[in-house]
Amino acid sequence: MFYIHCPYCGEHREEEEFHPKGQAHIARPADPAACSDEEWGDYLFFRDNPRGIHHELWVHAVGCRKFFNITRHTVTYAILETYRMGEQPRFTAEYPEGRSSRDAADQAPLREGVRA
Amino acid sequence: MQRYSGFGLVKHALSHHENWERQWRNPTPKKAYDVIIVGGGGHGLATAYYLAKEFGVRNVAVIEKGWLGGGNTARNTTIVRSNYLWDEAAALYEHSMKLWEGLSQDLNYNVMFSQRGVLNLGHTLQDMRDIQRRVNANRLNGIDGEVLDAKGVQALVPIMDCSKNARYPVMGASWQPRAGVARHDAVAWGFARGADAHGVDILQQTEVTGFKIRDGQVYGVHTNRGDIEAKTVGCVTAGNSGVLAKMAGIKLPLESHPLQALVSEPLKPVLDTVVMSNHVHGYISQSDKGDLVIGAGIDGYNGYGQRGSYPTVEHTLQAIVEMFPIFSRVRMNRQWGGIVDTCSDACPILSKTQVKGLYFNCGWGTGGFKATPGSGHVFAASLAKGEMHPIAAPFSIDRFHTGALIDEHGAAGVAH
């Protein structure tokens, strides 16, 4: 049973209030009609599926009903952080100990696990 | 290979069963093979077995990180059926069903395949329409199936609550009499013994740590016991397929999820068929040992931890008790999780990749056990000939870019 901190409610709640919605930070192509089949298929179906640190989208389904992100380890299942939509993760595959800031500006481009 | 028989049993009884030969060797890896199979579960061992037996490729190694059949082969609920909606999937699973029917004789190993039938219940009008459509599609594909009403279901499973008082009353079901269950460990061991007898080297506790690729052609693997060469490598590693693919620089349209199952304390015979319900979402059968074998849906999040969440267990048992109030005070003995590699269209991937000679057989998601012999057979044919077998061809990885998906989700009595 996860206890998940909802960054909007500011509280820890039980897993059953939430639903996982798959990998986070997947941007819908700005112009779908201009996508090749390859790009569109990648957007729809291909996921990182890492064994390790994973950024995922969750929804507080029976709470505030807002979407937010969780960084979680897919083997230990440890939740490293939860953060609001639009924010960047502190914990990534490159920085498993965490970075000091969530600002996108001072971060190196992310590879695995984050594509936004 | 020493053949098993009733006579042999009597003969070995005279020596107190102390002189049975080992079922397979434990060889040291050779430098090179014709074909390497990565993954010593049911599908991988079946592939090796059919490669050696039917396609004459005997210089084969099966490389397994742990022990044989220790992953999802050991963790599933052993249900075998072939009542899939779409032609492509029906062909694949029915091919497998036909192999199941002669498997114990073929392997000279009792896989305890028991054709006790599978019920897929309908609880809503839409369920019943889907069931009718699916059964009709099955019959056109030569797969047995019947549509039952609630009375028919009650006659088959007297202990089930088929009354109008249930929260989700049973309206009917599809019934596949040829479906059933098999003994999961025996499947892995039977294929391993058969493959070994045909000269396949089964290398346990050997972990693949990378691929040797030159000019877009695979020519071997790195392992913790040294490099092993082969121009054809087939990866059959279920939940870890994505991890393996990444080593070769390939992305797969898979997500690995925990899928849980549990068994109860052993009971006297009470349930002689398999009951699955999509709507209240659970499935159950009784093993020959007497335990109720219970499963339901995946945990919704990605995970490689081979365990799941308790809320999922609770939902599963709610569904079972809803259908079988008689089981409400049965105690559960064991609970576990396996890592299933799910595709977005709930169909597997049997495919070549952009790396020449490197093949993947994965994405079986929550329903791979039933396909073990068929998957192994068509994958072996594909590896031996270098061209995908006609039954396997529609399951190419390309379908996620061409859009030719085989959408079995929800349509096939897939309880996930």
Side-chain angles (χ1 to χ4, degrees), chain A residues 31-44:
Chain A
D31 183 4
C35 283
S36 65
D37 288 351
E38 197 86 7
E39 290 164 344
W40 189 245
D42 282 353
Y43 161 66
L44 285 181

PDB file of all heavy atoms in Angstrom, chain A residues 31-44:
ATOM      1  N   ASP A  31       1.564  19.280 -33.860  1.00  0.00           N
ATOM      2  CA  ASP A  31       0.782  19.187 -35.091  1.00  0.00           C
ATOM      3  C   ASP A  31       0.673  17.703 -35.484  1.00  0.00           C
ATOM      4  O   ASP A  31       1.476  17.211 -36.282  1.00  0.00           O
ATOM      5  CB  ASP A  31       1.472  19.997 -36.193  1.00  0.00           C
ATOM      6  CG  ASP A  31       0.650  19.998 -37.477  1.00  0.00           C
ATOM      7  OD1 ASP A  31      -0.475  19.438 -37.464  1.00  0.00           O
ATOM      8  OD2 ASP A  31       1.138  20.542 -38.484  1.00  0.00           O
ATOM      9  N   PRO A  32      -0.328  17.001 -34.932  1.00  0.00           N
ATOM     10  CA  PRO A  32      -0.420  15.551 -35.188  1.00  0.00           C
ATOM     11  C   PRO A  32      -0.461  15.202 -36.666  1.00  0.00           C
ATOM     12  O   PRO A  32       0.112  14.199 -37.094  1.00  0.00           O
ATOM     13  CB  PRO A  32      -1.727  15.160 -34.498  1.00  0.00           C
ATOM     14  CG  PRO A  32      -1.933  16.192 -33.457  1.00  0.00           C
ATOM     15  CD  PRO A  32      -1.368  17.466 -34.015  1.00  0.00           C
ATOM     16  N   ALA A  33      -1.127  16.046 -37.462  1.00  0.00           N
ATOM     17  CA  ALA A  33      -1.260  15.731 -38.884  1.00  0.00           C
ATOM     18  C   ALA A  33       0.083  15.745 -39.594  1.00  0.00           C
ATOM     19  O   ALA A  33       0.246  15.117 -40.641  1.00  0.00           O
ATOM     20  CB  ALA A  33      -2.231  16.718 -39.541  1.00  0.00           C
ATOM     21  N   ALA A  34       1.050  16.459 -39.013  1.00  0.00           N
ATOM     22  CA  ALA A  34       2.359  16.543 -39.661  1.00  0.00           C
ATOM     23  C   ALA A  34       3.287  15.413 -39.221  1.00  0.00           C
ATOM     24  O   ALA A  34       4.404  15.307 -39.719  1.00  0.00           O
ATOM     25  CB  ALA A  34       2.995  17.898 -39.340  1.00  0.00           C
ATOM     26  N   CYS A  35       2.830  14.581 -38.292  1.00  0.00           N
ATOM     27  CA  CYS A  35       3.679  13.499 -37.794  1.00  0.00           C
ATOM     28  C   CYS A  35       3.796  12.381 -38.821  1.00  0.00           C
ATOM     29  O   CYS A  35       2.831  12.070 -39.515  1.00  0.00           O
ATOM     30  CB  CYS A  35       3.079  12.890 -36.529  1.00  0.00           C
ATOM     31  SG  CYS A  35       3.321  13.868 -35.066  1.00  0.00           S
ATOM     32  N   SER A  36       4.958  11.759 -38.859  1.00  0.00           N
ATOM     33  CA  SER A  36       5.071  10.518 -39.631  1.00  0.00           C
ATOM     34  C   SER A  36       4.415   9.397 -38.818  1.00  0.00           C
ATOM     35  O   SER A  36       4.153   9.567 -37.621  1.00  0.00           O
ATOM     36  CB  SER A  36       6.541  10.194 -39.875  1.00  0.00           C
ATOM     37  OG  SER A  36       7.169   9.933 -38.641  1.00  0.00           O
ATOM     38  N   ASP A  37       4.137   8.262 -39.459  1.00  0.00           N
ATOM     39  CA  ASP A  37       3.584   7.109 -38.736  1.00  0.00           C
ATOM     40  C   ASP A  37       4.498   6.717 -37.589  1.00  0.00           C
ATOM     41  O   ASP A  37       4.044   6.346 -36.514  1.00  0.00           O
ATOM     42  CB  ASP A  37       3.415   5.909 -39.680  1.00  0.00           C
ATOM     43  CG  ASP A  37       2.268   6.119 -40.657  1.00  0.00           C
ATOM     44  OD1 ASP A  37       1.524   7.101 -40.471  1.00  0.00           O
ATOM     45  OD2 ASP A  37       2.138   5.316 -41.596  1.00  0.00           O
ATOM     46  N   GLU A  38       5.796   6.833 -37.852  1.00  0.00           N
ATOM     47  CA  GLU A  38       6.801   6.485 -36.855  1.00  0.00           C
ATOM     48  C   GLU A  38       6.650   7.354 -35.609  1.00  0.00           C
ATOM     49  O   GLU A  38       6.568   6.866 -34.483  1.00  0.00           O
ATOM     50  CB  GLU A  38       8.187   6.696 -37.481  1.00  0.00           C
ATOM     51  CG  GLU A  38       9.324   6.029 -36.774  1.00  0.00           C
ATOM     52  CD  GLU A  38       9.520   4.578 -37.239  1.00  0.00           C
ATOM     53  OE1 GLU A  38       8.856   4.148 -38.212  1.00  0.00           O
ATOM     54  OE2 GLU A  38      10.324   3.908 -36.616  1.00  0.00           O
ATOM     55  N   GLU A  39       6.582   8.663 -35.828  1.00  0.00           N
ATOM     56  CA  GLU A  39       6.489   9.594 -34.695  1.00  0.00           C
ATOM     57  C   GLU A  39       5.184   9.407 -33.932  1.00  0.00           C
ATOM     58  O   GLU A  39       5.138   9.437 -32.705  1.00  0.00           O
ATOM     59  CB  GLU A  39       6.588  11.043 -35.192  1.00  0.00           C
ATOM     60  CG  GLU A  39       7.965  11.419 -35.684  1.00  0.00           C
ATOM     61  CD  GLU A  39       7.973  12.694 -36.527  1.00  0.00           C
ATOM     62  OE1 GLU A  39       6.882  13.138 -36.988  1.00  0.00           O
ATOM     63  OE2 GLU A  39       9.055  13.237 -36.727  1.00  0.00           O
ATOM     64  N   TRP A  40       4.110   9.224 -34.674  1.00  0.00           N
ATOM     65  CA  TRP A  40       2.796   9.109 -34.030  1.00  0.00           C
ATOM     66  C   TRP A  40       2.702   7.798 -33.238  1.00  0.00           C
ATOM     67  O   TRP A  40       2.202   7.778 -32.122  1.00  0.00           O
ATOM     68  CB  TRP A  40       1.693   9.202 -35.084  1.00  0.00           C
ATOM     69  CG  TRP A  40       0.322   9.300 -34.490  1.00  0.00           C
ATOM     70  CD1 TRP A  40      -0.686   8.389 -34.603  1.00  0.00           C
ATOM     71  CD2 TRP A  40      -0.201  10.370 -33.680  1.00  0.00           C
ATOM     72  NE1 TRP A  40      -1.793   8.819 -33.916  1.00  0.00           N
ATOM     73  CE2 TRP A  40      -1.529  10.025 -33.337  1.00  0.00           C
ATOM     74  CE3 TRP A  40       0.341  11.568 -33.196  1.00  0.00           C
ATOM     75  CZ2 TRP A  40      -2.330  10.843 -32.538  1.00  0.00           C
ATOM     76  CZ3 TRP A  40      -0.461  12.379 -32.410  1.00  0.00           C
ATOM     77  CH2 TRP A  40      -1.780  12.013 -32.095  1.00  0.00           C
ATOM     78  N   GLY A  41       3.217   6.703 -33.817  1.00  0.00           N
ATOM     79  CA  GLY A  41       3.235   5.423 -33.105  1.00  0.00           C
ATOM     80  C   GLY A  41       4.091   5.509 -31.850  1.00  0.00           C
ATOM     81  O   GLY A  41       3.723   5.022 -30.791  1.00  0.00           O
ATOM     82  N   ASP A  42       5.240   6.185 -31.956  1.00  0.00           N
ATOM     83  CA  ASP A  42       6.105   6.361 -30.786  1.00  0.00           C
ATOM     84  C   ASP A  42       5.360   7.107 -29.688  1.00  0.00           C
ATOM     85  O   ASP A  42       5.430   6.752 -28.522  1.00  0.00           O
ATOM     86  CB  ASP A  42       7.373   7.145 -31.158  1.00  0.00           C
ATOM     87  CG  ASP A  42       8.395   6.278 -31.870  1.00  0.00           C
ATOM     88  OD1 ASP A  42       8.170   5.051 -31.939  1.00  0.00           O
ATOM     89  OD2 ASP A  42       9.392   6.818 -32.367  1.00  0.00           O
ATOM     90  N   TYR A  43       4.659   8.164 -30.090  1.00  0.00           N
ATOM     91  CA  TYR A  43       3.930   8.973 -29.101  1.00  0.00           C
ATOM     92  C   TYR A  43       2.833   8.140 -28.426  1.00  0.00           C
ATOM     93  O   TYR A  43       2.650   8.193 -27.212  1.00  0.00           O
ATOM     94  CB  TYR A  43       3.332  10.200 -29.798  1.00  0.00           C
ATOM     95  CG  TYR A  43       2.218  10.851 -29.011  1.00  0.00           C
ATOM     96  CD1 TYR A  43       2.467  11.461 -27.781  1.00  0.00           C
ATOM     97  CD2 TYR A  43       0.904  10.834 -29.490  1.00  0.00           C
ATOM     98  CE1 TYR A  43       1.443  12.039 -27.045  1.00  0.00           C
ATOM     99  CE2 TYR A  43      -0.122  11.402 -28.759  1.00  0.00           C
ATOM    100  CZ  TYR A  43       0.150  12.005 -27.541  1.00  0.00           C
ATOM    101  OH  TYR A  43      -0.859  12.557 -26.813  1.00  0.00           O
ATOM    102  N   LEU A  44       2.117   7.345 -29.209  1.00  0.00           N
ATOM    103  CA  LEU A  44       0.987   6.600 -28.654  1.00  0.00           C
ATOM    104  C   LEU A  44       1.421   5.396 -27.818  1.00  0.00           C
ATOM    105  O   LEU A  44       0.847   5.143 -26.765  1.00  0.00           O
ATOM    106  CB  LEU A  44       0.081   6.092 -29.775  1.00  0.00           C
ATOM    107  CG  LEU A  44      -0.829   7.088 -30.465  1.00  0.00           C
ATOM    108  CD1 LEU A  44      -1.661   6.374 -31.516  1.00  0.00           C
ATOM    109  CD2 LEU A  44      -1.745   7.793 -29.468  1.00  0.00           C
TER     110      LEU A  44
END
